[in-house]
Amino acid sequence: MIKIAEALPPHPNALWRLARQCGVTHAVGGMDFSRGLNVSHEDLPWSYTSLLHLKTLYKDAGFELAVLESRPPLHKAKLGLPGRDEEIEAVQDLLRNMGALGVPVWCYEWMPVFNWVRTSLALPTRGGALTTAYDHNLMREAPHTEYGIVTEDLLWENLRHFLDAVVPVAEQWSVKLAMHPDDPPISPIRGLGRIMRSVENFQRLLDLHPSPVNGITMCQGNFALMTDDLPAVIRRFGQQERIFFVHLRDVRGTVERFVETFHDDGQTDLAACLRAYRDIGYEGVLRPDHVPTLDGDSHDQPAYSTLGRLFALGYVKGLREAIYGE
């Protein structure tokens, strides 16, 4: 059965307690970068000691660390800049330490310069809750970054170089590499190509290294903008046994203009998706992802409202019981 997890920061807080009270037993963890990177090798966030302390924190609070969803710097590796091999060596160290500690999945992405992008961070939605949205028309004339035009061909070339170096280490240490889609899955943005933006490109990723550790984070909010039949895509990649991690969230709209929604208010048939995961035998973790901010909660981190996440946990738990009980 698919397992329900929550993304928990590297320091215990109220969300840790609330998630555990809701019955969550698996954590999607993040490394602790609070001391910066100008520290000894043993104190780097991805060192064995740092990850051991992180895993122990989660374990003592009742959680199994199932996925690590943060990364050493990869800016130079993505762009092919001097210093990229040192960044790749840090990832190799991370994978060795994850393997030694039994942390089975690393979620990473290949978005150059900046991560997920929205043109609105506080759009009113159902009942006045606040959500995020994207309108590509507002970004068409946005200035290029200091890196100018970065082509998709360059990103593919650098991704191949990266995988050539890290896949053998991941295989040796039994750590699965789960590539997250570009968010939004559209290219270019501000002159920057974005390659993890279509079902076909994800197949190309898998074919670059046909290894059992080279796989996908099935972030449904992004994949829903790539296809009209998400359950079929789940089955396609599931039959190849390459789905290693699931972000369950939803949207309304198209890749050029969309809003993020409550889990029960989007365009995707989430029940059909859960049936697809059940049918392919996926037994990894799912975490509810971006959520609107509810009244009474802080909007300091748009898309990560605590109350919104609790609503999502309850909804997903009920959906899982219904589908797996059929």
Side-chain angles (χ1 to χ4, degrees), residues 149-197:
I149 294 175
V150 176
T151 67
E152 294 187 22
D153 286 344
L154 178 66
L155 292 172
W156 279 114
E157 178 185 336
N158 293 335
L159 177 57
R160 178 186 291 276
H161 178 81
F162 175 80
L163 291 175
D164 286 347
V166 303
V167 166
V169 179
E171 289 176 338
Q172 180 182 358
W173 290 94
S174 300
V175 178
K176 295 177 178 178
L177 309 173
M179 173 71 86
H180 188 285
D182 297 335
D183 187 3
I186 193 169
S187 178
I189 297 177
R190 297 187 62 193
L192 302 172
R194 293 163 73 95
I195 59 176
M196 303 318 306
R197 58 178 176 80

Side-chain angles (χ1 to χ4, degrees), residues 271-293:
C273 292
L274 264 290
R275 289 189 186 95
Y277 292 121
R278 180 196 64 191
D279 294 347
I280 65 173
Y282 176 73
E283 296 186 348
V285 301
L286 165 163
R287 77 166 177 89
D289 199 9
H290 296 177
V291 296
T293 300

Side-chain angles (χ1 to χ4, degrees), residues 46-62:
W46 51 88
S47 74
Y48 180 91
T49 302
S50 296
L51 293 179
L52 172 63
H53 292 164
L54 183 68
K55 182 178 180 179
T56 301
L57 269 178
Y58 290 125
K59 181 180 179 181
D60 290 348

Side-chain angles (χ1 to χ4, degrees), residues 50-201:
S50 296
L51 293 179
L52 172 63
H53 292 164
L54 183 68
K55 182 178 180 179
T56 301
L57 269 178
Y58 290 125
K59 181 180 179 181
D60 290 348
F63 299 105
E64 176 184 334
L65 179 55
V67 178
L68 191 67
E69 194 173 349
S70 63
R71 306 108 194 164
L74 285 173
H75 174 72
K76 297 172 184 174
K78 294 172 185 177
L79 296 177
L81 299 175
R84 71 172 179 175
D85 289 335
E86 288 78 5
E87 290 187 345
I88 292 172
E89 288 170 6
V91 172
Q92 292 172 326
D93 284 344
L94 166 68
L95 297 175
R96 293 184 189 100
N97 294 330
M98 287 179 63
L101 289 165
V103 182
V105 178
W106 180 51
C107 175
Y108 73 112
E109 41 77 20
W110 208 250
M111 290 175 268
V113 184
F114 49 77
N115 202 284
W116 62 284
V117 181
R118 296 293 184 268
T119 54
S120 176
L121 295 176
L123 182 70
T125 186
R126 188 173 69 192
L130 301 178
T131 192
T132 71
Y134 182 80
D135 184 346
H136 196 59
N137 285 328
L138 301 176
M139 295 296 291
R140 293 187 191 278
E141 303 303 323
H144 290 174
T145 71
E146 63 185 290
Y147 300 97
I149 294 175
V150 176
T151 67
E152 294 187 22
D153 286 344
L154 178 66
L155 292 172
W156 279 114
E157 178 185 336
N158 293 335
L159 177 57
R160 178 186 291 276
H161 178 81
F162 175 80
L163 291 175
D164 286 347
V166 303
V167 166
V169 179
E171 289 176 338
Q172 180 182 358
W173 290 94
S174 300
V175 178
K176 295 177 178 178
L177 309 173
M179 173 71 86
H180 188 285
D182 297 335
D183 187 3
I186 193 169
S187 178
I189 297 177
R190 297 187 62 193
L192 302 172
R194 293 163 73 95
I195 59 176
M196 303 318 306
R197 58 178 176 80
S198 70
V199 174
E200 293 74 21
N201 282 10

